[in-house]
Amino acid sequence: MLDVAWILDNSDTAEAVDGDNNHTISPGLQRKRRFLRKSKSLYGVNPSTQLGPKAALCQDATLTIQDPSSQKLKWCKAPINALVIRKPGDREVDKVYKEVIELLVSKNLRLYVEEKTVDDMELSAQCVSMLTQYNGERDNLSDKVDFIVTLGGDGTLIHASSLFQNSVPPILAFNMGSLGFLTPFDVDGMGSAVDKALAGEMSLTLRTRLKCVIGQKNESDCVPHIKDLENGQTHKSSRLASYSVVNEVVIDRGPSPYLCHIELYVDRRHITSVQGDGLIISTPTGSTAYAAAAGASMMHPSVPAILVVPVCAHSLSFRPIVLPAGVEITIMVSPDARNTAWAAFDGRCRTELKHGDSLRITTSIYPLPSLCKRGQLEDWFGSLAECLNWNVRKSQKALDLELHSNTTTTNSSASLDSLADELTLT
């Protein structure tokens, strides 16, 4: 895969020396620069590691709050190969699919398209010569694709993510699906969006993914932390299955009529027993999906966190919780459970968890780089309003201040007169 970098603007760190002129910057100028940088973003600058007058973080510890506005796309080399993924079974997509292929070929990009999606399409000889058909279940595209274009909805974007268990190329997602919460671009502006993406003139949302490993009894214990296990590979066992997830992992009771009874561990410490219909382990991106329907708070995708959300728990005090990104969550079927449990990864690869099996989940080091149409915050709040009708209601009518003032004065006078009459009678 072509080298791509996400530009992270670290200029928020105050410098004591001016690199251009090689002279010391005055404290006043440093404070002024810090102020200007702080006002640039709600997320502020990198937090200080000094803790009061006599304490500080260890030298090897870093504390960083990433500024969303600093995540920009940069092409280390010009992209050569693009992957085009379309929503199947939609006639409206057929026409746009052909237009996208012709547009990208005109940009001298070699294209990877799914098998049989172009068999009935009338394409020029030039387009045909630039196409390579692939099979998602058989072919590994990890080191072949520089750039991804999706035509569809959120499911199409999630499918694209599933093809890359490790590093994912930048994704330009056009909305042609049912909801389109994760696909901000309209096909009407396709040409302009492609030009900006290829020129590296777009910001990015690095959507956290979850790394999930399923192992049978004692098989996953050979790995101290699953971050040390490469996706798609095995470690001393051919039965360790690994997945990367964009939205959520759902553990439920499957076809059984009994409760889902599972044990929840965080960093190898037992936290609680879960009894109910199931449990959702979600990314911030997935917080607006199944997790939101189960009562979780909706989180911006740049927040480094993992959500743990019960599904119809048999305890009114079991509320959704948010854990810091990077912790390892382990799910096991309780020894007292009357049935097994089932796990689904972004709604796919449904797998049975038997007694003794373990499902281990942590934050993947390979995020999903989704290109932004306007910006991280603008795209997210726009999707909340347009797709979920977040906080949409009719506005309360304003008061007629003159009429309200007269009515209030009259009522107050009448009340005082009534009180005076009552006092006279008594």
Side-chain angles (χ1 to χ4, degrees), residues 200-426:
E201 298 174 356
M202 283 188 174
S203 58
L204 285 162
T205 296
L206 298 181
R207 299 185 179 277
T208 301
R209 297 197 296 175
L210 296 178
K211 182 178 190 176
C212 313
V213 174
I214 297 179
Q216 294 185 351
K217 187 176 182 180
N218 299 325
E219 287 187 331
S220 60
D221 292 338
C222 58
V223 184
H225 196 293
I226 62 170
K227 67 182 179 181
D228 300 322
L229 179 66
E230 290 295 330
N231 285 333
Q233 297 181 2
T234 58
H235 185 91
K236 298 183 181 179
S237 172
S238 61
R239 289 177 286 183
L240 281 176
S242 178
Y243 306 95
S244 290
V245 171
V246 177
N247 271 348
E248 74 277 307
V249 183
V250 178
I251 303 96
D252 59 51
R253 60 185 179 178
S256 173
Y258 297 114
L259 286 174
C260 180
H261 190 178
I262 55 180
E263 305 295 336
L264 174 65
Y265 298 81
V266 176
D267 283 344
R268 303 298 179 96
R269 296 180 179 86
H270 183 261
I271 302 302
T272 190
S273 295
V274 180
Q275 299 181 77
D277 283 354
L279 188 68
I280 301 170
I281 310 297
S282 172
T283 64
T285 294
S287 68
T288 52
Y290 193 1
S297 296
M298 294 184 289
M299 301 179 65
H300 189 276
S302 291
V303 177
I306 300 176
L307 289 81
V308 179
V309 186
V311 181
C312 298
H314 279 228
S315 170
L316 295 179
S317 60
F318 191 0
R319 311 309 304 162
I321 59 175
V322 179
L323 299 176
V327 300
E328 179 177 299
I329 298 172
T330 303
I331 307 292
M332 299 184 71
V333 177
S334 173
D336 299 329
R338 298 183 180 182
N339 53 286
T340 61
W342 289 78
F345 306 89
D346 277 339
R348 305 173 185 226
C349 305
R350 195 158 171 79
T351 306
E352 185 177 15
L353 299 178
K354 300 178 181 179
H355 289 80
D357 294 350
S358 64
L359 169 58
R360 301 169 66 182
I361 305 166
T362 192
T363 306
S364 172
I365 64 172
Y366 301 108
L368 183 74
S370 178
L371 292 172
C372 299
K373 181 179 180 181
R374 293 161 290 185
Q376 284 195 12
L377 295 176
E378 293 89 343
D379 283 3
W380 191 66
F381 280 111
S383 293
L384 286 180
E386 296 169 14
C387 301
L388 302 183
N389 290 327
W390 178 65
N391 197 32
V392 174
R393 59 150 288 173
K394 292 183 178 180
S395 297
Q396 187 180 42
K397 292 183 177 180
L399 291 173
D400 186 323
L401 296 181
E402 182 177 355
L403 179 61
H404 178 65
S405 176
N406 294 336
T407 303
T408 303
T409 303
T410 302
N411 290 340
S412 299
S413 300
S415 300
L416 291 174
D417 292 342
S418 300
L419 180 60
D421 291 343
E422 292 178 4
L423 292 175
T424 301
L425 292 176
T426 56

Side-chain angles (χ1 to χ4, degrees), residues 92-124:
E92 183 181 354
V93 177
D94 292 342
K95 180 181 178 181
V96 178
Y97 186 45
K98 180 180 178 181
E99 293 175 357
V100 168
I101 291 175
E102 293 173 342
L103 174 63
L104 295 177
V105 168
S106 70
K107 307 293 182 182
N108 295 319
L109 290 171
R110 300 192 64 86
L111 305 184
Y112 285 88
V113 296
E114 197 167 3
E115 282 182 342
K116 300 180 180 180
T117 58
V118 294
D119 290 350
D120 299 329
M121 192 176 297
E122 296 182 1
L123 295 171
S124 65

